[in-house]
């Protein structure tokens, strides 16, 4: 199974900050990576697919980049509603589909 | 607008079978263009994929759960279902159903639409 390692596992940031979350995969996955945002008590929400494609309705301050084994989710200017946990997921090689361990973004 | 709704018992006894249904609002479960999936999340932990199914019968299961999991689709009811047998406390989780995106130059099995989730507790 392809393993996904997210870093950091948590971070503290202020409104307006630029935030970068990294996802590293144990094998190359081309661009077959998605990013999700999850708020407490809610289902995950798709943000980015195919490593860098923005899902419809998602604010443009979210962006994704990378290919192969190293991927990045960037929030260009953190907003109050962005405090949440973020997960990456690979869909290049399955079963199994696999998720990263999550990155919790907290208020500084 | 697509809506997915999980339903089923909130409490299951150890060694018994957990059964959940996901009801799909828009009829797309009859389309050959989608896979449908189940994901679980133990309290305070991360996401784990359980399996995905297509209405022609193709299924993919997580190898870690394959021996205990069965998924099926009932297009006449706009539903797909999950069964996990021989449950233990470690199966306690919020279970989500989801739809993968429409087929496009291959199957891209990320999760585009999610249900709200349902908590299933395994306890005697």
């Amino acid at each position: 199974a392809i393993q996904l390692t997210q870093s950091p596992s948590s971070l503290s940031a202020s409104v307006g900050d630029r935030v970068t979350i990294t996802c590293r995969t144990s094998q190359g996955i081309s661009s077959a990576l998605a990013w999700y945002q999850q708020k407490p008590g809610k289902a995950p929400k798709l943000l980015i697919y195919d490593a860098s494609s923005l899902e419809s309705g998602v604010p443009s301050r979210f962006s994704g980049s990378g290919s192969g084994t190293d991927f990045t989710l960037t929030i260009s200017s953190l907003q109050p509603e962005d405090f949440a946990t973020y997960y990456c997921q690979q869909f290049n090689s399955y079963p199994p589909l696999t998720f990263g361990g999550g990155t919790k973004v907290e208020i500084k | 607008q697509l809506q997915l709704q999980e339903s089923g018992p909130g409490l299951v006894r150890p060694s018994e079978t957990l059964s959940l249904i996901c009801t799909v609002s828009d009829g797309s479960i009859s389309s050959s263009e989608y896979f449908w999936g189940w994901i679980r999340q133990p309290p305070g932990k991360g996401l784990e994929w359980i399996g995905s199914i297509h209405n022609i019968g193709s299924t993919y299961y997580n190898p870690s759960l394959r021996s205990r999991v069965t998924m099926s689709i009932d297009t006449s009811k706009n539903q797909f279902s999950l069964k996990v047998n021989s449950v233990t406390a470690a199966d306690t989780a919020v279970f989500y159903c989801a739809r993968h995106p429409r087929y496009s130059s291959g199957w891209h099995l990320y999760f585009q639409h999610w249900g709200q989730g349902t908590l299933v507790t395994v306890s005697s």
Side-chain angles (χ1 to χ4, degrees), chain A residues 34 36 38 42-44 46 49-50 55 87 89 91 94-97 99, chain B residues 41 45-47 49 60-63 96 107-112 114-115:
Chain A
Y36 304 89
Q38 186 179 33
K42 300 295 186 181
L46 176 66
Y49 61 94
D50 293 345
E55 174 67 353
Y87 294 93
Q89 179 234 327
F91 50 94
Y94 53 87
L97 298 170
F99 291 89
Chain B
Q41 185 172 36
K45 296 189 177 181
L47 301 165
W49 173 69
Y60 294 107
Y61 294 132
N62 192 323
Y96 297 99
W107 294 109
H108 294 218
L109 296 190
Y110 55 90
F111 301 95
Q112 189 171 38
W114 296 67

Side-chain angles (χ1 to χ4, degrees), chain B residues 41-57:
Chain B
Q41 185 172 36
K45 296 189 177 181
L47 301 165
E48 180 182 33
W49 173 69
I50 300 170
S52 296
I53 187 168
H54 187 277
N55 71 359
I56 64 170

Side-chain angles (χ1 to χ4, degrees), chain B residues 23-46:
Chain B
T23 301
V24 179
S25 66
D26 72 348
S28 60
I29 200 161
S30 298
S31 169
S32 61
E33 296 180 299
Y34 300 103
F35 265 88
W36 305 85
W38 289 97
I39 307 98
R40 70 179 183 178
Q41 185 172 36
K45 296 189 177 181

Side-chain angles (χ1 to χ4, degrees), chain B residues 80-96:
Chain B
F80 63 106
S81 67
L82 171 71
K83 294 184 185 297
V84 183
N85 60 35
S86 304
V87 297
T88 69
D91 293 307
T92 294
V94 175
F95 286 75
Y96 297 99

